[in-house]
Amino acid sequence: MRRNKVTVVGSGAVGSTAAHWIASKELADVVLVDQVQGLPQGVALDLASSGPVEGFDLNILGTNDYEATADSDVILFTAGVPRRKDPVTGKFPSRDELVKVNQDVVGPVSEKLAKLSPNSVFIVVTNPLDAMCHVVKEVSGFPRERVIGQAGALDTARYKTFIAMELGVSVEDVHGIVLGGHGDEMVPLPRHTSVSGIPVRELMAEDKLQAIIERARKGGGEVVSLLGRSAYYAPASASVAMVESVLKDKKRVIASAVYLQGEYGYNDLFIGVPAVLGAKGMEKVIVMDLNAEEKAMLDISAKAVRGVVDVLGYGK
Ligand code: APR
């Protein structure tokens, strides 16, 4: 029996952390690739050496050679330039300012990877996320089922974390979802948020809830301002949840950036919506019955995403 194979592109903070979780869950053999000589090899060797202690039994390879990625089941794409403080100006670039820089990384690399693993499912993490999903779809020629963006899984995790902290309850019992683009206009849905089925509004005052929504929206930025670089534990674990659902055909319902073709009233746009993730990739878009206020927020988010996507210059 052939083992599952996951290529993690980019062996930086998110890539190496994701590889760690893939290994610790013993999900698949892992190929780490990066442009920096020695980096993926070093990460792979270090991670592989934890196998005897942690008890996972996998092939973990680090390489600068894309040929080694051939026939991967999943490509987890994290390569790119993250938000970092400019040492001269002391300013952080926005996600959107990174669009051109990361288009030039994601385009050529994902084109190569898609040729070597023509049946793979891409899970894209590089920001600006929704735009980078467009790049992968464009250059790979893959159907929309096999290009999925990791955004909602992370945004939802942050939202749930803040609710659990505020209420002093287990994160395991907080349920909810965040839609929209992976930006400050993302759309947390309090009407669909509960603690063990109890609507969150029965447990928390509206001002507290709104403060949490605002904090979730700015959750990435909060980490950046503390760490001086973008987050990696939560982005990596959210990505690995998606990888796991695909590899194990779990059909989990995870908010994911999906190329919409009419759903929610949007066309030819990647935006975060609930999706069923299984062996075929994005197997189904779940269309929620949003009220006017929720739809208006989603429209604002979609408009922001469209603005970034337009920078790519693909036309429609
Ligand atoms: N080919 C291969 N690897 C590349 C290329 C390229 N053209 N360009 C950059 N990389 C690699 C870098 O060498 C680096 O090791 O991508 C890696 C990125 O790692 P980090 O700089 O540590 O960034 P990270 O924190 O992992 O974030 C990666 O995920 O959450 C998003 O916003 C984040 O877009 C960013 C991405």
Side-chain angles (χ1 to χ4, degrees):
M1 195 180 104
R2 180 187 170 275
R3 282 211 216 143
N4 286 324
K5 177 172 175 181
V6 174
T7 287
V8 180
V9 193
S11 306
V14 177
S16 58
T17 310
H20 176 185
W21 266 311
I22 291 169
S24 63
K25 292 170 190 253
E26 215 172 41
L27 295 180
D29 288 340
V30 180
V31 178
L32 284 137
V33 277
D34 200 285
Q35 65 179 0
V36 177
Q37 304 283 325
L39 177 66
Q41 293 85 346
V43 170
L45 184 60
D46 192 15
L47 184 55
S49 306
S50 69
V53 184
E54 295 297 324
F56 59 77
D57 189 358
L58 299 166
N59 295 321
I60 299 175
L61 175 77
T63 179
N64 308 109
D65 176 8
Y66 286 91
E67 295 294 324
T69 69
D71 297 321
S72 292
D73 300 287
V74 173
I75 311 270
L76 183 61
F77 202 107
T78 79
V81 179
R83 280 192 289 175
R84 272 202 190 97
K85 203 191 275 183
D86 185 308
V88 180
T89 64
K91 287 195 181 143
F92 293 100
S94 72
R95 276 194 194 109
D96 300 356
E97 282 163 351
L98 291 177
V99 68
K100 277 285 175 195
V101 175
N102 279 339
Q103 180 179 15
D104 291 343
V105 173
V106 175
V109 174
S110 49
E111 192 172 1
K112 236 182 287 180
L113 289 160
K115 288 203 176 96
L116 289 161
S117 297
N119 300 313
S120 58
V121 173
F122 268 78
I123 296 177
V124 183
V125 185
T126 306
N127 278 317
L129 189 271
D130 310 273
M132 292 308 116
C133 292
H134 277 265
V135 175
V136 173
K137 186 165 184 306
E138 174 85 13
V139 303
S140 66
F142 280 11
R144 72 169 185 162
E145 288 73 18
R146 293 196 284 115
V147 181
I148 319 166
Q150 185 284 112
L154 167 61
D155 300 330
T156 301
R158 287 187 173 135
Y159 176 55
K160 288 180 182 176
T161 303
F162 300 147
I163 287 173
M165 284 174 174
E166 175 63 31
L167 292 175
V169 300
S170 167
V171 286
E172 281 178 41
D173 295 322
V174 180
H175 305 283
I177 190 158
V178 177
L179 306 186
H182 188 45
D184 294 348
E185 292 83 11
M186 66 182 76
V187 186
L189 293 178
R191 210 163 57 89
H192 304 80
T193 305
S194 77
V195 176
S196 288
I198 305 156
V200 72
R201 284 190 161 119
E202 289 184 19
L203 302 169
M204 197 186 291
E206 191 62 27
D207 59 334
K208 289 257 161 60
L209 185 57
Q210 291 306 325
I212 285 173
I213 287 173
E214 208 37 39
R215 192 175 178 196
R217 286 196 172 123
K218 305 259 164 69
E222 186 177 344
V223 174
V224 172
S225 65
L226 292 165
L227 268 187
R229 54 155 303 135
S230 55
Y232 48 97
Y233 286 115
S237 79
S239 309
V240 172
M242 297 171 73
V243 171
E244 183 174 26
S245 194
V246 171
L247 292 177
K248 294 188 177 168
D249 195 21
K250 286 181 82 167
K251 322 263 190 218
R252 287 200 57 201
V253 177
I254 298 182
S256 309
V258 170
Y259 190 73
L260 295 182
Q261 292 178 308
E263 298 93 346
Y264 291 88
Y266 309 116
N267 267 302
D268 308 322
L269 191 68
F270 272 93
I271 196 141
V273 293
V276 177
L277 304 187
K280 297 193 188 89
M282 191 285 294
E283 298 189 347
K284 188 176 180 207
V285 176
I286 296 182
V287 179
M288 297 172 69
D289 191 8
L290 300 179
N291 66 25
E293 191 192 349
E294 292 155 355
K295 180 66 170 73
M297 285 197 289
L298 195 58
D299 282 345
I300 291 169
S301 183
K303 202 169 161 216
V305 172
R306 179 69 76 191
V308 183
V309 169
D310 285 346
V311 179
L312 298 170
Y314 291 142
K316 211 184 112 174

